[in-house]
Structures are given as C-alpha cells and as structure tokens.
Amino acid sequence: GDPKKGSYYHELTLHYLRQYIAEVKLAGFMDEIIVHYVKDKGDTSHLQEQIDQYLAKAKKIVPKNPNANIIYRLKMLEVTKYMNAYDYRKTAETCEGAVDYFVKEKPDFRTYIIIFLNQWIISCTQLKHYDKAKALIKRSFQYLEPGEYNWFKVMEYKTQLAFYMEEYSLAYATYQTVIQHPGLSQLPDVV
C-alpha cells in the first residue's frame, strides 16, 4: 500500500533486469567469437569486423553503473579485439585498466583479475617487456593456489619467459615444480 516503496522496487527490478540483459548479450557476443578459437588455431583475422560490430553494439547496451560482470565481458571483448589483431600494446593497456578496476573495486573477483593478468603477461612477453612480464607473473601468484588451472597456466608463462630471458635453470626448476605437482594428472589431456 505504499506507492513510494512500490515505485522504488519497480525501478530496482528494472535496473537489475537491464544489468542482466546486458550480461547475457555480452556473454553471447563473447561466445560467438571464442568458439572460433577452441579448436582452430589458424588465422582469425576474418573475425575482426565481427568483434568491432559486437563492441559497437556492446557500448549501446551497457547500462549506467554497469556491474562487474558487464565490465569483465566488455573488457574481454576489447582484449579479444586487440589480441586478434596482434596489438599487444593495446591489449596490455586494456588489461592494466581492467586489473586496476577489479583490484580497486572488486578485489574478491580474483578469477577476473587473474584472467586479465594472464593476457597482460602474454602481451608483455610478446612486446619483449620481460621484466614487466616477470613482475606480473609474481603478482599473479598472490591470487592463485598451487594446483589450480590458472596456477598451471602462469607456471607455463613463467617457463616460457625464463627461456626468452635465457634463465634456463629457472625454466627447469619451474618445469620440475609443475611435473611433480599431484594436480597435474587432474588436468585435461590437451592441457
């Protein structure tokens, strides 16, 4: 019987519905792009126009005050665009912004933080910014538990980086740590 409360809850429902719809649409955009990367490791330059179209659509559907899931999906679309175009500088900038956002605003969203850190590490390695990549790898471990999938990914990046930096004893030690970890056998064969 309280019109003010009724109006308040109606607006709140509409707000969360807009957030949810944006999340679902952005997830759909990502799915349409990512499906091309799962099995085919070939040329994906043909996807650039589609990614640009999705980004243009995404910017129109993102509501005011987007939630963390929307920001994650929007930033991942941007990262995908730049990675697909081999623009590692822009990828690194986008990842840095995303990591800064999540660390400041949503520090408990560690999965999102580590996903962007991983892409940032790859970008820095490709740019031959090895010291930065090494620092990001070290930073990543504060969000990871040994044996988690992403722990293994970061250990892979650490090994690759050690080879690039000609730190072969570090590469070997990292490799030994990984192959002796009991969680290795739990990973899918392809990994």
Side-chain angles (χ1 to χ4, degrees):
D2 186 333
K4 276 188 176 180
K5 277 187 181 178
S7 179
Y8 169 77
Y9 286 111
H10 178 71
E11 288 304 316
L12 198 60
T13 301
L14 291 176
H15 167 76
Y16 285 113
L17 183 59
R18 284 188 290 270
Q19 297 270 339
Y20 178 72
I21 289 169
E23 282 183 47
V24 170
K25 285 183 178 180
L26 289 170
F29 295 162
M30 281 303 301
D31 289 346
E32 290 289 324
I33 299 300
I34 297 300
V35 73
H36 296 280
Y37 292 90
V38 175
K39 291 184 180 177
D40 184 7
K41 303 297 182 199
D43 180 31
T44 55
S45 60
H46 65 282
L47 296 174
Q48 207 61 31
E49 187 177 327
Q50 187 177 5
I51 296 169
D52 287 336
Q53 289 172 358
Y54 285 156
L55 274 167
K57 287 179 183 178
K59 291 185 186 302
K60 291 178 184 173
I61 63 168
V62 170
K64 291 179 184 172
N65 304 316
N67 65 31
N69 293 325
I70 292 171
I71 290 171
Y72 164 72
R73 287 176 172 86
L74 187 59
K75 291 296 178 190
M76 279 306 297
L77 266 174
E78 291 175 17
V79 165
T80 304
K81 170 189 170 130
Y82 298 131
M83 288 292 276
N84 192 63
Y86 305 103
D87 188 341
Y88 298 110
R89 187 184 57 77
K90 284 283 207 186
T91 302
E93 289 172 6
T94 303
C95 290
E96 182 176 14
V99 169
D100 289 348
Y101 166 80
F102 284 106
V103 166
K104 181 181 172 199
E105 301 293 329
K106 302 288 184 185
D108 52 330
F109 281 57
R110 71 181 191 95
T111 301
Y112 290 174
I113 294 168
I114 198 64
I115 288 169
F116 288 111
L117 281 170
N118 284 351
Q119 296 304 309
W120 195 1
I121 291 165
I122 293 167
S123 297
C124 288
T125 302
Q126 291 294 324
L127 292 166
K128 298 183 179 173
H129 298 166
Y130 298 145
D131 289 334
K132 181 65 177 179
K134 195 173 191 176
L136 291 170
I137 287 168
K138 184 177 179 182
R139 184 176 179 186
S140 294
F141 288 121
Q142 69 183 305
Y143 298 100
L144 298 168
E145 295 293 325
E148 292 178 327
Y149 173 81
N150 280 315
W151 178 82
F152 284 106
K153 289 305 293 177
V154 173
M155 293 296 274
E156 177 184 341
Y157 302 146
K158 184 177 178 180
T159 304
Q160 291 170 344
L161 184 63
F163 278 110
Y164 286 126
M165 296 179 77
E166 298 180 2
E167 295 178 0
Y168 303 115
S169 60
L170 175 61
Y172 182 73
T174 306
Y175 168 75
Q176 287 297 316
T177 300
V178 168
I179 65 167
Q180 293 173 17
H181 195 283
L184 184 63
S185 64
Q186 304 302 312
L187 293 175
D189 289 342
V190 69
V191 177

